[in-house]
Amino acid sequence: MSENSPSSSGASAPSDFIRDIVAAHVAEGRYPQIVTRFPPEPNGYLHIGHAKSICLNFGIARENGGRCNLRMDDTNPTKEDVEYVESIIRDVRWLVDGWADHCLAFKKHGVPPEARETDGKTDFFMPPVQPVPADASGLEPFFASDYFDQIHAYAVRLIETGRAYVCDLSPEDTEKYRGSPDRPGTESPFRTRSTAENLDLFARMRAGEFPNGTRTLRAKIDMASPNIWLRDPVLYRIKHAAHHQTGDAWCIYPMYDFAHCLSDYIEGITHSICTLEFEVHRPLYDWILASLDLPRPLPHQYEFAKLIPSHMIVSKRKLIHLVNEKIVAGWDDPRLPTISGIRRRGVPAPALRRFAVGVGVTKFNSLTDIAVYEHVVRDELNAVAARRLAVLDPIKLVLTNIPEGELIEVDATNDPQNETPTTRRVPFGREVYIERDDFAEIPPPKFFRLKPGGEVRLKYACIVKCDEVVKDATGAVVEIRCTADLDSRAGGPNSGRKVKGTIHWVSAPHAVDAEVRLYDRLFTAAEPDADGDFTKHLNPDSLKIVHAKLEPTLASARPGERFQFERLGYFTLDSEDATVGRPVFNRTITLKDTWAKA
Ligand code: ATP
Ligand code: MG
């Protein structure tokens, strides 16, 4: 079923304080088009928190006929990698596919920003390509590193107008001179350098004359400002390091605060939406843009609270730890809250979007119970998943009154959730597998499944009665022998006969063998990192591998198809490890919240 099934359209248009601001701007016609951006740093894989930011930025673009730029915020070459760039593109496209892909903007490969002369000043603008065609070859996301020349030119302009200077303080002294929130900073002794000297030194920084850490370019703002970010913040630092996009072209790199507002401006962003920790940076964002006296409308920054899901870790640094220490099998391990892991686990993109939009946008950080996410995933899968029969822990049941080799086919329902359900034919016969725990030799009270002398209905087939159990030398039950009431099949004279229990099964000679990976929450604690050591709270049962018996139609399952294995949960073919003839299924989620009572 497609990612765009009706259930995926989600609730009515969301509303929040950022959307209210955008609506007011639209009403007053402030901008020709609303332009947002999603600006990840390619230093790790995207996670469920980024999904919230993606859905907000693309959602606002989509609701207002705008566009959203995917931009790599790549100003810190030593921590970044093209593997991350590629995964980010894949994840964003998957998440917005069929929903806001028409708002996604890319740029032409290798094309620099356009330079335009306005009032004797050079203005830079990065033209977007939008919508992105299905074959996006020749296109790529935006990169902050594409603007290194322009950002550098703006830095020179700040020096020329006396708003920036080269400072020789060491990183430690720069920190010391900055003061603290309740104590003003001290001016750098290099603050009063002449423009000519600053220009010369900045050129020599760029030319590679000085080692790392010996000089910085700093904005000349106010060392006594109550806002610490305005105390002559560093704009450029020396870093003799190759960059994944620009190679060895640069040995000075702009700081996040300098690069970000300028990248927003160059791309014509109208609403620059980020998380709350950047609120204190906003005055600097505004100062830089205002100081450059730019000809086009300036972008503005708006902040919202991060998504902090319970029972998960969403900091990239900590996710890297889980991957590097091989606590999980990689960035796309289905237990991780990475978008790649979520996709591989079988969560449909509309479910992730529904959750990411549904949590809402506020100004207050709070923990979101992961059960909310799991509920949305179940709800979405219930609507789209085809029902199938599978047995995860098989034990053989022999129906002694059905002759060997006799094939009986029964009709099983594919989609009982739909108004006009469809069916498929499933083979049935003398030998079937049932779930080991659907039989109890000594049943507890109210056990309505199979027990010695008892009856149960095999779903879609007939009622069977347990006559005898066969045990091995250790006393373990290895086979259950029953009589089938074939008249109790659908359409038979006894079809209306009722028994208390109904169980699932798979015909033994037709069963497909499969590895099934039973995933569960990775952490047992709601806030795994509350005491600073999240590895203490790993769930030892987050992955259990079983060898299951599946109904034959599942042999042709394709990646991306979702199934409900009846009575067991939702499953999907693993996109990495399944091969023809050796299916591997992932459990996306159980049918019920098994944690609720815990
Ligand atoms: P992390 O803290 O996981 O390392 P980050 O903020 O450094 O994440 P970026 O790549 O800089 O990651 O994030 C890209 C965008 O996603 C930013 O605008 C950031 O504010 C937003 N974002 C990051 N984490 C979350 C989150 N948990 N909830 C909502 N938005 C987030
Ligand atoms: Mg960041």
Side-chain angles (χ1 to χ4, degrees):
M1 226 166 281
S2 97
E3 301 286 0
N4 309 313
S5 52
S7 71
S8 69
S9 55
S12 54
S15 131
D16 53 66
F17 74 97
I18 297 182
R19 285 180 164 91
D20 289 347
I21 294 168
V22 174
H25 292 164
V26 170
E28 73 187 38
R30 184 182 292 204
Y31 306 102
Q33 189 187 28
I34 299 300
V35 186
T36 58
R37 87 285 172 264
F38 173 65
E41 180 176 1
N43 61 353
Y45 278 55
L46 298 180
H47 53 63
I48 192 167
H50 294 115
K52 175 173 176 177
S53 180
I54 294 167
C55 289
L56 179 58
N57 282 296
F58 280 89
I60 287 176
R62 143 183 211 277
E63 291 150 27
N64 295 285
R67 70 175 154 91
C68 182
N69 291 2
L70 171 58
R71 181 202 310 149
M72 302 298 152
D73 193 359
D74 57 344
T75 55
N76 199 358
T78 48
K79 289 196 176 145
E80 299 166 4
D81 198 277
V82 283
E83 178 196 344
Y84 299 137
V85 172
E86 282 159 15
S87 75
I88 289 168
I89 299 171
R90 205 163 44 233
D91 289 348
V92 169
R93 293 197 87 172
W94 175 75
L95 189 56
V96 305
D97 185 39
W99 175 70
D101 43 347
H102 58 288
C103 302
L104 176 62
F106 273 12
K107 64 155 186 107
K108 283 216 177 76
H109 176 74
V111 175
E114 288 169 10
R116 304 170 182 163
E117 290 302 319
T118 318
D119 302 334
K121 271 178 303 197
T122 310
D123 187 34
F124 301 108
F125 179 72
M126 193 62 180
V129 177
Q130 196 231 342
V132 178
D135 172 19
S137 55
L139 298 183
E140 59 189 3
F142 299 86
F143 290 86
S145 58
D146 279 328
Y147 318 135
F148 280 173
D149 281 330
Q150 292 72 27
I151 293 169
H152 177 266
Y154 285 128
V156 169
R157 202 183 287 175
L158 286 183
I159 298 175
E160 286 167 348
T161 54
R163 293 188 176 96
Y165 62 96
V166 172
C167 179
D168 303 356
L169 288 179
S170 67
E172 301 73 43
D173 282 342
T174 308
E175 189 60 41
K176 228 184 285 164
Y177 276 60
R178 188 174 290 131
S180 58
D182 51 357
R183 192 165 43 84
T186 312
E187 292 190 353
S188 159
F190 306 99
R191 204 174 197 261
T192 50
R193 274 184 167 142
S194 70
T195 300
E197 192 183 2
N198 281 321
L199 286 172
D200 173 61
L201 284 171
F202 190 51
R204 290 166 61 195
M205 277 170 66
R206 182 188 177 171
E209 278 188 37
F210 312 121
N212 289 354
T214 52
R215 287 193 163 88
T216 56
L217 182 73
R218 297 177 66 178
K220 192 188 279 188
I221 311 181
D222 179 5
M223 288 308 290
S225 170
N227 183 336
I228 219 151
W229 297 99
L230 293 181
R231 295 185 189 170
D232 291 12
V234 173
L235 304 180
Y236 264 93
R237 75 266 202 226
I238 301 172
K239 211 172 232 197
H240 291 271
H243 187 285
H244 53 101
Q245 301 298 320
T246 57
D248 292 323
W250 295 87
C251 63
I252 56 171
Y253 290 96
M255 300 298 288
Y256 168 88
D257 282 316
F258 193 52
H260 204 87
C261 56
L262 289 173
S263 303
D264 284 345
Y265 174 75
I266 291 168
E267 290 176 13
I269 304 300
T270 56
H271 297 77
S272 178
I273 301 167
C274 60
T275 38
L276 279 183
E277 69 271 25
F278 292 102
E279 192 166 14
V280 285
H281 297 235
R282 190 183 345 127
L284 177 56
Y285 184 103
D286 292 339
W287 182 91
I288 293 168
L289 294 176
S291 301
L292 286 165
D293 190 18
L294 299 162
R296 281 179 296 125
L298 301 181
H300 287 281
Q301 179 184 301
Y302 306 88
E303 309 88 13
F304 70 101
K306 276 196 165 175
L307 171 66
I308 312 168
S310 75
H311 298 90
M312 284 188 184
I313 291 283
V314 291
S315 143
K316 275 190 258 184
R317 192 171 51 76
K318 291 165 194 160
L319 291 172
I320 285 176
H321 178 84
L322 292 171
V323 172
N324 287 350
E325 297 304 311
K326 304 210 173 350
I327 296 168
V328 294
W331 281 102
D332 65 348
D333 187 299
R335 290 167 295 180
L336 285 185
T338 53
I339 295 182
S340 300
I342 287 171
R343 174 176 58 236
R344 185 170 172 188
R345 182 140 161 185
V347 173
L352 183 53
R353 290 200 302 262
R354 252 174 74 189
F355 168 71
V357 172
V359 288
V361 179
T362 71
K363 273 264 182 199
F364 307 97
N365 284 321
S366 65
L367 195 69
T368 299
D369 189 340
I370 203 58
V372 175
Y373 165 73
E374 294 169 344
H375 171 80
V376 173
V377 173
R378 278 191 191 97
D379 195 56
E380 185 73 27
L381 285 172
N382 179 45
V384 301
R387 275 47 172 176
R388 293 291 182 263
L389 295 172
V391 175
L392 297 183
D393 182 14
I395 184 166
K396 198 176 269 181
L397 197 137
V398 179
L399 303 170
T400 51
N401 60 326
I402 300 180
E404 247 171 88
E406 181 169 330
L407 172 66
I408 304 171
E409 285 193 311
V410 299
D411 288 323
T413 309
N414 296 316
D415 45 0
Q417 73 276 32
N418 289 341
E419 245 169 66
T420 47
T422 59
T423 60
R424 68 190 180 285
R425 309 231 80 188
V426 179
F428 174 67
R430 180 180 168 88
E431 295 194 354
V432 300
Y433 291 111
I434 65 165
E435 216 66 66
R436 192 173 296 273
D437 70 2
D438 278 336
F439 173 78
E441 201 176 7
I442 305 163
K446 298 206 174 161
F447 186 85
F448 298 126
R449 293 167 281 163
L450 197 59
K451 55 194 168 196
E455 285 189 312
V456 77
R457 181 174 279 280
L458 298 182
K459 193 161 187 188
Y460 305 121
C462 63
I463 294 170
V464 300
K465 178 162 190 268
C466 173
D467 304 316
E468 190 190 349
V469 296
V470 181
K471 296 180 179 180
D472 66 10
T474 70
V477 177
V478 291
E479 189 179 295
I480 304 161
R481 298 175 76 81
C482 298
T483 314
D485 174 7
L486 292 172
D487 287 347
S488 66
R489 278 181 289 168
N494 267 345
S495 65
R497 191 155 82 80
K498 294 253 179 313
V499 289
K500 279 206 164 151
T502 299
I503 62 175
H504 60 276
W505 53 274
V506 166
S507 167
H510 303 94
V512 172
D513 288 294
E515 175 180 321
V516 177
R517 300 173 179 173
L518 303 174
Y519 291 109
D520 202 348
R521 291 180 185 175
L522 187 55
F523 294 100
T524 51
E527 294 178 79
D529 206 26
D531 54 12
D533 184 7
F534 53 91
T535 56
K536 269 199 325 224
H537 302 289
L538 285 162
N539 176 7
D541 301 319
S542 63
L543 169 60
K544 233 173 76 192
I545 296 177
V546 298
H547 297 280
K549 300 285 185 185
L550 314 181
E551 70 162 81
T553 59
L554 286 167
S556 54
R558 281 165 299 139
E561 283 182 299
R562 274 95 188 185
F563 303 100
Q564 183 194 100
F565 291 177
E566 294 211 32
R567 299 180 62 229
L568 296 171
Y570 295 100
F571 294 78
T572 198
L573 201 66
D574 185 74
S575 53
E576 298 302 311
D577 297 340
T579 53
V580 178
R582 187 185 169 277
V584 178
F585 279 85
N586 295 330
R587 181 173 71 195
T588 311
I589 196 153
T590 51
L591 285 180
K592 292 208 177 78
D593 183 355
T594 53
W595 290 81
K597 48 189 182 301

